[in-house]
Amino acid sequence: MTSTTGYADVDAMKYANTITLDELRDQLYFYASDEMEGRYTGSPGQKKAVEYLKSLYEKMGVAGGNLDGSYFQTVPGSYFNKPDLTSENVLGFIKGTEKPEEVLVISAHLDHIGTKNGVVFNGADDDGSGTIALIEIAEAFKKAAEDGYGPKRSILFLHVTGEEIGLYGSKYYSENPVYAMENTIANLNIDMIGRIDPKREAKTDYIYLIGSDMLSQDLHDLSEMANEKYMKLDLDYTYNGKDDPNRFYYRSDHYNFAKNDVPVIFYFNGTHEDYHRAGDTPDKIEYELYQKRTQLVFVTAWELANNENRPTLK
């Protein structure tokens, strides 16, 4: 792929560096607090969570992602086979300056597994980390736009519900897309980026990438280029395979985009001892590494949104 054009004098790191430790920490501590009651799909805690996300987008001046400018895409209870349950995806949107009809989707799931026997499962890493990263990435793009460097392509910031009970929110969006799938250039999906996999022998600045080369070599090459240019993290492809026994490629929301021939990258830190346990709390997040990983997604999105060409399929 050719490099970005027109923004040669703009250092994407100027905006990546607006993604700060303090903001990530403060917002995650609230989002993964007991007040959110574990954010189980359709629960009062999940309703509080989506209202909080909406308030953050409104505060930063990022429009809602529905065509009427609203923020919620309602997922009806019938979709979950639970008529008494409704839930919401949350959509933020920044319109492209040159190719607004082409849309980059950056996603994270907003839900977790709720409470059990009175114990709140806070889900700080899973996926509070992705949720708040998405907010901070949106804010960085908004600041660039305010400086006259809005993304050339549109960006949809998509917080999906129902991931933990079957990828329902992303499935619903993929079947009822606000922006046509054929105009969706890629999906960058963030699910658990705040901790360290104990299987890693060294505490290096790593992130697992899954799916980057499965549908588009262009996307993989751009991802590698963006990392080398800006972040120099250790991109680990251990789980990047359809035959991976863990089946991670099939287990998060990017898969509902990949099924529709949208190139994807899944950003993931691996599992750990607190995965789906009450110990997944904000105090255990590796905040400096969390910041770097969030910045990596931002600069990759920056290159995708501003590149001369969209990624081509294999």
Side-chain angles (χ1 to χ4, degrees):
M1 296 179 74
T2 55
S3 62
T4 54
T5 56
Y7 287 9
D9 57 337
V10 183
D11 181 5
M13 286 306 298
K14 172 183 178 182
Y15 300 105
N17 286 331
T18 69
I19 298 169
T20 66
L21 287 172
D22 287 345
E23 288 188 341
L24 288 168
R25 183 184 294 110
D26 291 349
Q27 291 176 76
L28 184 56
Y29 260 87
F30 183 70
Y31 193 73
S33 67
D34 286 356
E35 184 174 338
M36 299 298 180
E37 302 170 2
R39 307 187 304 277
Y40 186 79
T41 301
S43 71
Q46 182 255 292
K47 303 293 184 178
K48 291 178 186 176
V50 298
E51 290 293 342
Y52 176 63
L53 297 176
K54 176 185 174 183
S55 73
L56 293 176
Y57 281 114
E58 289 176 328
K59 183 178 179 181
M60 71 176 82
V62 171
N66 288 311
L67 297 181
D68 63 359
S70 61
Y71 292 91
F72 293 161
Q73 181 186 47
T74 300
V75 183
S78 59
Y79 201 75
F80 302 100
N81 296 315
K82 296 181 178 180
D84 58 339
L85 180 154
T86 61
S87 193
E88 302 82 19
N89 293 329
V90 182
L91 286 65
F93 189 74
I94 296 179
K95 187 175 181 179
T97 60
E98 294 184 13
K99 298 180 179 182
E101 73 286 353
E102 295 187 5
V103 181
L104 168 64
V105 176
I106 315 175
S107 61
H109 72 88
L110 61 88
D111 61 308
H112 195 51
I113 60 174
T115 62
K116 297 180 181 180
N117 299 318
V119 177
V120 178
F121 287 66
N122 300 105
D125 190 27
D126 185 15
D127 186 29
S129 63
T131 301
I132 299 306
L134 192 47
I135 290 288
E136 285 296 293
I137 290 166
E139 186 177 42
F141 272 109
K142 177 64 174 175
K143 288 177 178 177
E146 289 170 349
D147 287 349
Y149 299 109
K152 295 180 181 181
R153 292 180 177 83
S154 298
I155 303 177
L156 176 65
F157 305 95
L158 177 62
H159 301 261
V160 292
T161 190
E163 191 269 356
E164 298 287 7
I165 59 173
L167 310 185
Y168 280 108
S170 56
K171 184 172 185 285
Y172 187 83
Y173 180 86
S174 72
E175 294 174 354
N176 303 272
V178 178
Y179 307 94
M181 282 289 165
E182 58 265 29
N183 292 336
T184 301
I185 69 160
N187 169 231
L188 306 181
N189 182 50
I190 315 168
D191 191 353
M192 299 175 60
I193 61 165
R195 296 280 293 268
I196 291 175
D197 185 345
K199 296 185 182 70
R200 297 267 315 185
E201 293 183 5
K203 277 193 171 186
T204 56
D205 289 345
Y206 81 98
I207 184 73
Y208 294 124
L209 265 59
I210 299 170
S212 63
D213 62 351
M214 289 196 189
L215 294 172
S216 173
Q217 189 63 40
D218 281 349
L219 178 60
H220 178 80
D221 293 346
L222 182 143
S223 167
E224 287 276 337
M225 178 275 291
N227 179 60
E228 182 61 28
K229 182 178 179 180
Y230 298 109
M231 301 303 302
K232 294 182 169 56
L233 296 185
D234 175 7
L235 303 185
D236 189 326
Y237 297 98
T238 296
Y239 300 117
N240 182 45
K242 293 182 179 180
D243 57 352
D244 165 40
N246 298 282
R247 293 180 60 80
F248 288 133
Y249 178 65
Y250 304 95
R251 289 172 55 185
S252 192
D253 296 294
H254 59 280
Y255 184 61
N256 283 315
F257 288 88
K259 285 196 303 185
N260 287 277
D261 291 326
V262 174
V264 301
I265 303 176
F266 172 23
Y267 297 88
F268 179 52
N269 53 216
T271 57
H272 45 74
E273 63 272 19
D274 294 315
Y275 175 64
H276 282 191
R277 299 195 177 193
D280 185 6
T281 49
D283 58 297
K284 295 181 181 177
I285 298 294
E286 303 275 350
Y287 282 96
E288 290 186 4
L289 182 52
Y290 176 31
Q291 178 190 33
K292 291 175 183 177
R293 291 165 170 168
T294 303
Q295 290 172 331
L296 172 66
V297 181
F298 170 78
V299 296
T300 305
W302 176 277
E303 294 290 335
L304 279 166
N306 296 316
N307 202 283
E308 184 177 345
N309 300 309
R310 62 184 286 177
T312 58
L313 293 169
K314 287 183 175 179

